[in-house]
Amino acid sequence: MTRPPLKKQITVPLVLAAVFGLAWYVAGRFSWELSPAASEQERMSHAAGEWVRALVCIAFWMSAALVAVRALNELAFFIFRKRKGYEAPSLMRDLFSLVLYVTAGAVILKYTLDLSFAALLPGSALLGIVLGLALQDTLGNLFSGISLHADKPFQVGDVITVGKHTGVVTSVTWRAVKVKTFSNHIVLVSNTSIAKESIEVCPQNGQNARIVFFSAAYADSPVRVIHAVREAVREAENVLRYITPVVRMRGYGESGVDYEVKYWLSDYSRYNDTDALIRQRIWYAFRRNGFTFPFPTRTLHMEPPAAHDGDGRDTETLAGLLSAVDIFAPLTPGELNALAASSSNHVFAPGETIIRAGDDGDSMFVVSRGGVDVRVDSNGTPRTISRLGEGAFFGEMALFTGEPRTAHVVAAEETEVLEIGHDAMRGLFQTNPGLVEALSHAINERRAGLLANASAPSGDEGTHDGLLSRIRRFFRLD
Ligand code: CMP
């Protein structure tokens, strides 16, 4: 509730002070000294005149005090606003005025009727007990209000949740906290219940976050979903620009993958609208990227047996992919088809390890999408020695020599690889002797790279001929 302007507050008491001041002056003019020989009637009319004069005097000073206290209040809280940058709570203003009124009242009584504050104490003690009992709840609210102000857990403009009410604090009075809910209802929560209950406070200028949930179909790549949603959300109105929203997977739901997006708001009191806007942005991001919202339905797929059980790619596509790998260039289309049919496609998330150094390995891989990093341990910390992109192969060293894996291979981004097993290669070696030659060249080159990083086995197998005969022995080709 806003206070009326000072002019309005002091007009009436000013007029009253002028009227009583004039009356006091007139009463002074008509006062007279009582002579010792005055009759009983004269004494009575003199006493009555003195009483009227005292009352008019009190009325004058009280009107003047009213003007002075209101003006002082306005001045003091004008300074408060300038220094603190926000409006003082009305409870503080009321208490300030109360103290001034009591002081002014005591001073006026002392100088007009010569009544001291101490003389009023016995009576006021009794009155205090009676009032205290009668106003138990009201005083409880007052003191809770005072402690609320001392504590300052929230301010006008903050969003708070008390009990089942959530809304913006519009005022804190000596009796209650006024909260405007998001349905535009005013809820008055008494100061005593605020002091007893736990309150959730979202400060007006704080970094308040919200979480919005959504789901995507299992077929939609998490990396792409997370990226698309984050980009769509960060530009939305009322989303804090300097904190990037966080999008993460929450779990695997019945119909799809469950995600959440956490974002920070500039103005928390508008979180309902902003949540709705975020959901809208997610819908458009899904539409643009071809993602699907999972519906709580059961879909029965009647599919013909797949030509290949890889990640949705058929044998022909995979054979096309293998034909682009330089070492497989000499293979006939039939051999490429056979190789594709006996291989399997796998997808890895960024940072996932595909091969671990030191493990045994009986398969090699071709990168069909994305890229991988080849890493060796250097003084206990992994160091990337090579990046292999689409169409490159890896894992051939352990497969063709029977030695443990020589390096770690880690997906650098979302990556699909085609895994080719020992048996599939053995068949090809018998019909393509040149393949062993090409592979041993590739292995030798990579060994040189590893040697430069001091992590390759040296010795007889390190030479081209040694390696060639080792591969032949391993695959029993002689
Ligand atoms: P393998 O030893 O089976 O497992 C790790 C793989 O990393 C290895 O086979 C090679 O395919 C690959 N690799 C090792 N050294 C290099 C290198 N210098 N350049 C590219 N790839 C390499």
Side-chain angles (χ1 to χ4, degrees):
M1 202 175 66
T2 51
R3 285 169 182 264
L6 179 64
K7 206 165 111 190
K8 236 183 177 168
Q9 287 183 57
I10 61 171
T11 314
V12 177
L14 253 182
V15 172
L16 286 177
V19 170
F20 288 125
L22 192 69
W24 188 25
Y25 172 75
V26 173
R29 300 278 299 197
F30 286 100
S31 77
W32 69 96
E33 279 296 313
L34 197 64
S35 73
S39 68
E40 189 57 26
Q41 200 176 355
E42 273 175 334
R43 278 179 196 283
M44 278 176 67
S45 59
H46 181 266
E50 285 303 299
W51 264 102
V52 170
R53 221 162 64 84
L55 284 180
V56 169
C57 170
I58 291 174
F60 165 74
W61 282 116
M62 283 203 165
S63 315
L66 211 61
V67 174
V69 169
R70 285 183 179 175
L72 255 176
N73 186 302
E74 210 55 39
L75 177 71
F77 290 102
F78 170 78
I79 295 169
F80 181 99
R81 191 171 51 238
K82 284 275 156 233
R83 295 186 68 163
K84 300 263 180 180
Y86 61 90
E87 202 65 64
S90 51
L91 176 64
M92 192 192 270
R93 297 189 72 149
D94 293 347
L95 282 177
F96 179 77
S97 299
L98 186 71
V99 171
L100 289 185
Y101 282 134
V102 170
T103 316
V107 172
I108 292 169
L109 287 180
K110 172 82 186 143
Y111 287 102
T112 51
L113 299 181
D114 199 22
L115 271 180
S116 78
F117 202 65
L120 295 173
L121 271 184
S124 52
L126 191 65
L127 190 70
I129 293 171
V130 175
L131 282 180
L133 286 173
L135 300 176
Q136 226 171 18
D137 286 349
T138 314
L139 289 178
N141 277 327
L142 176 68
F143 288 114
S144 305
I146 292 171
S147 80
L148 265 184
H149 280 294
D151 244 16
K152 278 208 182 62
F154 51 78
Q155 287 181 6
V156 171
D158 291 354
V159 174
I160 62 166
T161 303
V162 196
K164 54 184 177 29
H165 303 293
T166 299
V168 183
V169 177
T170 57
S171 73
V172 183
T173 68
W174 59 272
R175 202 183 75 74
V177 173
K178 237 185 227 180
V179 177
K180 191 171 177 186
T181 68
F182 296 113
S183 331
N184 236 10
H185 300 160
I186 299 288
V187 178
L188 284 169
V189 192
S190 68
N191 290 345
T192 21
S193 12
I194 290 256
K196 277 185 210 147
E197 295 224 25
S198 45
I199 329 164
E200 188 186 333
V201 182
C202 305
Q204 199 173 12
N205 298 319
Q207 294 176 346
N208 298 299
R210 291 280 302 169
I211 292 184
V212 170
F213 302 110
F214 66 96
S215 302
Y218 275 106
D220 299 329
S221 140
V223 171
R224 290 187 57 224
V225 170
I226 288 171
H227 178 74
V229 170
R230 190 174 48 225
E231 290 313 304
V233 165
R234 67 194 305 173
E235 295 291 314
E237 196 211 327
N238 199 28
V239 172
L240 267 188
R241 291 284 176 272
Y242 59 88
I243 309 183
T244 310
V246 177
V247 185
R248 52 197 173 204
M249 280 169 87
R250 292 177 57 229
Y252 297 107
E254 226 180 284
S255 326
V257 181
D258 297 328
Y259 295 87
E260 64 184 22
V261 45
K262 181 176 179 184
Y263 70 97
W264 284 260
L265 298 99
S266 309
D267 177 1
Y268 189 74
S269 65
R270 291 196 288 129
Y271 72 76
N272 278 325
D273 290 342
T274 316
D275 278 3
L277 181 66
I278 296 297
R279 289 188 196 103
Q280 197 191 78
R281 289 290 165 97
I282 294 174
W283 188 93
Y284 282 106
F286 266 50
R287 197 57 182 262
R288 278 196 303 278
N289 289 279
F291 303 148
T292 324
F293 283 107
F295 299 101
T297 51
R298 295 276 182 280
T299 311
L300 197 60
H301 288 286
M302 306 292 283
E303 282 185 5
H308 185 273
D309 65 352
D311 219 24
R313 304 206 190 188
D314 60 22
T315 309
E316 238 168 78
T317 317
L318 296 180
L321 224 143
L322 288 174
S323 70
V325 180
D326 48 4
I327 51 163
F328 296 134
L331 302 190
T332 64
E335 284 171 328
L336 284 171
N337 269 341
L339 188 61
S342 59
S343 61
S344 48
N345 200 46
H346 309 290
V347 63
F348 289 88
E352 260 194 293
T353 301
I354 305 170
I355 280 179
R356 214 166 252 106
D359 283 359
D360 288 336
D362 58 359
S363 59
M364 66 177 281
F365 302 84
V366 172
V367 180
S368 57
R369 183 170 68 84
V372 297
D373 284 336
V374 180
R375 295 182 185 166
V376 292
D377 287 325
S378 151
N379 298 330
T381 42
R383 187 156 56 86
T384 301
I385 58 162
S386 180
R387 161 70 63 97
L388 305 175
E390 243 165 68
F393 61 89
F394 60 91
E396 77 293 344
M397 292 169 95
L399 172 65
F400 298 131
T401 62
E403 285 169 358
R405 299 287 193 195
T406 52
H408 306 288
V409 181
V410 178
E413 55 194 281
E414 191 181 78
T415 299
E416 277 183 64
V417 292
L418 210 55
E419 185 173 13
I420 303 167
H422 178 280
D423 291 342
M425 289 307 291
R426 188 176 143 77
L428 289 179
F429 284 155
Q430 272 154 355
T431 49
N432 287 279
L435 197 58
V436 185
E437 184 86 12
L439 271 164
S440 61
H441 271 300
I443 293 175
N444 258 337
E445 263 176 40
R446 290 185 170 180
R447 274 172 179 270
L450 286 171
L451 263 178
N453 289 285
S455 132
S458 52
D460 174 37
E461 294 83 39
T463 67
H464 176 66
D465 289 345
L467 186 63
L468 210 60
S469 51
R470 184 171 179 136
I471 297 175
R472 289 180 168 288
R473 263 202 320 275
F474 187 63
F475 277 86
R476 294 195 210 94
L477 298 176
D478 297 319

